[in-house]
Amino acid sequence: MGVNSPFDIPILIEDIEDGEDIAKEVCDAAYDLRDKDPHGKLISHKFREYKRAESKEEMEKHGYTSHGTFNLKEDQRFHRVHTATVDAMAKYLTHMKSCHQFRLTNSWVSIYGHGSFAPEHVHPLCHLSCVFYGAASEGTGELVLKNPAQDVYNMLYEGGDTDLFTDLYNVSPRAGQIVVFPSFMKHYTKPHMANDDRIIFSCNAKLTSILP
């Protein structure tokens, strides 16, 4: 827990205060958003196709995300998790000895059913990203963060297998836990193989002015 630096780039992982209560709020609101969004965006194999659901069964099969549909910053049900996100990002920047201020740019929720996953991606046009777990099952659906230098040393060293570097860093999800990392860091999730849904809140932030 705390700040880890597997690639000499800090990643903050911690259980937030009142995390279980906030997790329940996030889950209740996430299901409500999905119920109000019958043609919501799909994830898993449909993620890069920007497909929208044609049925409830499709959302249950591929997973659901509110990304690009709802502005959660204006939804009071997410006030506490936004506040927790600001606190966690501020702690991250303090660890980095940064004097930058920042602003949250967008946030969304995603619901992963059995077999659902997030393909490898980055978060463009922002500096910091976070994931907060509203619901998670032990031993499945891990968040995997990739070493940003991996493509370079794979190209330079035959086969890329040098044992000199950490290629991947796995985060085992737990309800009430928040993870903060640089937005440029490639990441994905392993398939969620439990029968209970995995529910996450995600948020991005941009650095703005430097404090005097």
Side-chain angles (χ1 to χ4, degrees):
M1 303 298 289
V3 177
N4 299 303
S5 300
F7 318 125
D8 284 334
I9 299 173
I11 299 166
L12 184 145
I13 306 169
E14 67 176 10
D15 296 323
I16 66 172
E17 186 176 357
D18 298 326
E20 291 185 4
D21 289 341
I22 296 173
K24 186 178 184 307
E25 292 177 356
V26 167
C27 290
D28 289 345
Y31 283 128
D32 183 64
L33 290 178
R34 187 181 66 177
D35 290 344
K36 293 177 178 177
D37 195 15
H39 300 293
K41 292 171 67 174
L42 300 172
I43 45 182
S44 301
H45 294 293
K46 302 295 183 180
F47 177 80
R48 301 197 188 283
E49 300 176 21
Y50 302 99
K51 292 289 186 179
R52 289 191 170 271
E54 296 183 4
S55 67
K56 182 179 179 181
E57 288 71 27
E58 272 199 310
M59 283 195 281
E60 291 176 349
K61 178 179 179 181
H62 298 289
Y64 163 79
T65 181
S66 71
H67 186 274
T69 304
F70 295 102
N71 185 353
L72 303 189
K73 290 173 64 178
E74 297 179 358
D75 191 324
Q76 285 301 307
R77 294 174 297 180
F78 295 95
H79 173 72
R80 287 212 293 169
V81 72
H82 278 117
T83 299
T85 297
V86 169
D87 291 344
M89 289 185 172
K91 183 179 292 187
Y92 182 93
L93 291 175
T94 296
H95 176 83
M96 294 287 289
K97 297 181 172 56
S98 170
C99 294
H100 283 89
Q101 294 179 306
F102 63 93
R103 62 179 179 84
L104 303 183
T105 57
N106 62 323
S107 57
W108 62 98
V109 290
S110 301
I111 301 174
Y112 295 80
H114 183 86
S116 299
F117 64 95
E120 183 179 305
H121 64 288
V122 297
H123 294 196
L125 304 178
C126 50
H127 296 101
L128 293 178
S129 297
C130 88
V131 55
F132 170 79
Y133 292 100
S137 301
E138 185 177 354
T140 188
E142 293 90 346
L143 170 66
V144 182
L145 299 152
K146 294 186 68 175
N147 188 331
Q150 187 179 22
D151 291 341
V152 176
Y153 62 72
N154 279 350
M155 179 177 62
L156 294 176
Y157 302 113
E158 184 178 356
D161 185 14
T162 65
D163 293 329
L164 292 176
F165 312 107
T166 299
D167 294 339
L168 305 172
Y169 185 70
N170 295 317
V171 179
S172 298
R174 183 168 60 247
Q177 183 183 76
I178 196 167
V179 183
V180 177
F181 54 93
S183 303
F184 63 76
M185 188 174 286
K186 292 181 180 179
H187 58 285
Y188 61 91
T189 68
K190 296 180 180 179
H192 175 68
M193 302 309 296
N195 291 324
D196 295 331
D197 290 336
R198 179 164 65 88
I199 300 176
I200 67 168
F201 166 91
S202 302
C203 191
N204 292 325
K206 279 187 176 182
L207 302 184
T208 55
S209 60
I210 297 178
L211 294 170

